Amino acid sequence: MASSKKNNLYAGHQRGDIQLNLTSSESFKCEPVFALIEETLQKGGNAYVKKIKGIFAMVVSDGPGGKTETWVIDAKNGSGSVQRGSKAKADCTIKIKDKDLLDIARGKLQLQSAYFSGKLKIVGNMSTALKLQQIIPKAPLAKL
């Protein structure tokens, strides 16, 4: 049986030790969230790919200067990956504002609340979208 540490995104991190090192006005606030997802996939990607079997396009709006950027989380092929700016075909597309994604990762905003309030929009396979919760950070990030 797998230990709970393998299922914990923050395994190896103490709560609050993950810093948001935003040195440029061109950085999205949610970039550390994607870095943690990528780290999770690097550590246990094969297991996540077997469980999730999905490709997610995360369209993040209201970034620096009002920019919108897409991150593709591939939890379907190989051992998984995260690519910024990818145009890969996704099983579902999730649209969210930069600040709201960061608030979800910090635990300040619940996924269900974000969805029902219209802060998070899902296009495509809803059952696949729900599986993304398995690799999104679940513990609050350090305060800015």
Side-chain angles (χ1 to χ4, degrees):
M1 188 75 153
S3 72
S4 63
K5 259 195 161 184
K6 283 190 177 182
N7 294 327
N8 181 354
L9 177 66
Y10 284 88
H13 296 286
Q14 295 296 317
R15 184 177 178 156
D17 74 345
I18 298 164
Q19 300 296 317
L20 297 174
N21 297 318
L22 302 177
T23 57
S24 166
S25 62
E26 294 299 310
S27 296
F28 279 75
K29 293 175 185 174
C30 66
E31 285 183 32
V33 175
F34 291 105
L36 287 171
I37 292 170
E38 186 171 30
E39 182 181 321
T40 299
L41 290 173
Q42 288 173 352
K43 289 181 179 178
N46 290 333
Y48 285 110
V49 167
K50 285 180 184 177
K51 287 191 318 188
I52 296 172
K53 298 177 186 166
I55 299 174
F56 310 88
M58 300 281 295
V59 179
V60 182
S61 61
D62 285 355
K67 289 183 183 177
T68 296
E69 184 67 79
T70 301
W71 279 263
V72 173
I73 302 166
D74 183 344
K76 190 176 197 175
N77 300 298
S79 59
S81 66
V82 177
Q83 295 180 338
R84 184 177 182 169
S86 175
K87 303 289 185 207
K89 185 176 187 301
D91 298 307
C92 68
T93 300
I94 298 167
K95 297 178 180 181
I96 191 165
K97 290 182 180 178
D98 190 23
K99 179 192 178 308
D100 293 334
L101 181 55
L102 187 62
D103 284 348
I104 288 170
R106 287 181 168 159
K108 292 181 178 181
L109 178 63
Q110 297 298 316
L111 284 171
Q112 287 180 329
S113 297
Y115 178 76
F116 288 116
S117 67
K119 291 181 177 184
L120 180 143
K121 295 177 179 140
I122 299 170
V123 177
N125 189 323
M126 179 67 83
S127 63
T128 299
L130 293 173
K131 293 178 183 180
L132 184 60
Q133 295 179 71
Q134 297 176 41
I135 54 174
I136 284 187
K138 295 172 180 65
L141 296 171
K143 291 185 179 179
L144 292 174

